[in-house]
Structures are given as structure tokens and as C-alpha cells.
Amino acid sequence: MAILKDRPEAEDALHDIYVTVWKDAQGATRDGLRPMTWLIALAREKAVARLRGRARPADGANRPWVTVPAPSVEGARPGSINAALTTLEEPEAEALRAAYLGGLTYRDLAQRDGIPMVAVRSLLRRSLLRLKELVPA
């Protein structure tokens, strides 16, 4: 839901994920991943693939992305990711939301912000490291 923003489409994606897991449950161990890590990566991959498959807008815009809103922090417990995102600088927090909640790729972020892809990678890496410091394990 966080990536697709459409319940029926998210349910279809979830069904695809269940089918993939059913057919290839050994995928996690084959790739050397923990099962939950593999499942999360698979879910994000399926959602982003569906998002990219949507029709392009008539105005010729590159992608039908929308600005990813900041998550609500009402009721967020201290140390949660939502609370930590509010403490990051806005460019860092917005880049994380766009990449990991909105499904934008490095290339999409670079084109949108008019910066080199290497700068996007560095920004996301620094932002993730800072977020890791703010959210206890």
C-alpha cells in the first residue's frame, strides 16, 4: 500500500508475492538472505515493477510519480522510524520516503532533482546510516 497507493492493486501484488514464495521458497536461502529480508525485498520489487508498469501520463511526463507525503507521527513511539524521519534534515527524509516508500529509483531521483546518480546514492546511504543511529534495534 505504501508504494502502490491503491488497495486492489496492492492486493494483486500481494497475491503475486504469495505465488512467488510458494513456487520459490528456497530463493531466500539460495541468495543467502534471511527469509524475512528476502520476502521484504520481493514485495518491494513486485510493487515497484507494478508502479513502473502503469501508463505514462498524456502530457509526456517521464513517470506518474506523486510526491510522497511525510508519514504521520501521531502515536509514533519514541525510536520508531516515523519519529526518526522527522528528526532528519528534509532532503534526507524526503529522499528516503521517495526511494523506499514511493518506489523511485536512483535514476528517477537524479532526474527529478537534477543531480548525478552518485550524489543520490551518497545521500541515501548517509540518510540510512543516520536513520539507523536514530532507531534502536
Side-chain angles (χ1 to χ4, degrees):
M1 278 297 296
I3 293 174
L4 294 171
K5 310 283 190 251
D6 180 57
R7 185 167 208 80
E9 192 169 10
E11 289 172 356
D12 285 345
L14 183 60
H15 180 265
D16 291 348
I17 293 161
Y18 283 145
V19 170
T20 301
V21 169
W22 180 260
K23 289 180 178 176
D24 189 23
Q26 298 302 316
T29 56
R30 180 183 63 238
D31 295 338
L33 301 173
R34 294 172 136 177
M36 185 57 87
T37 304
W38 177 70
L39 186 59
I40 291 167
L42 180 64
R44 183 178 187 283
E45 175 186 312
K46 294 279 187 187
V48 169
R50 282 180 169 271
L51 194 62
R52 288 187 182 141
R54 290 181 181 170
R56 296 197 186 277
D59 64 3
N62 188 26
R63 294 214 189 275
W65 306 118
V66 294
T67 304
V68 179
S72 169
V73 293
E74 290 180 24
R77 68 184 199 289
S80 73
I81 291 176
N82 285 343
L85 277 171
T86 63
T87 64
L88 292 176
E89 296 291 325
E90 189 51 35
E92 294 174 334
E94 200 285 323
L96 288 174
R97 282 188 215 105
Y100 297 105
L101 298 176
L104 291 176
T105 64
Y106 292 155
R107 177 173 287 127
D108 296 328
L109 287 169
Q111 288 174 346
R112 184 193 74 180
D113 297 340
I115 59 175
M117 246 186 351
V118 69
V120 170
R121 286 187 187 117
S122 295
L123 173 65
L124 287 173
R125 176 158 171 67
R126 283 191 317 269
S127 302
L128 285 172
L129 290 172
R130 179 76 177 116
L131 193 62
K132 184 178 176 183
E133 292 171 2
L134 297 170
V135 179

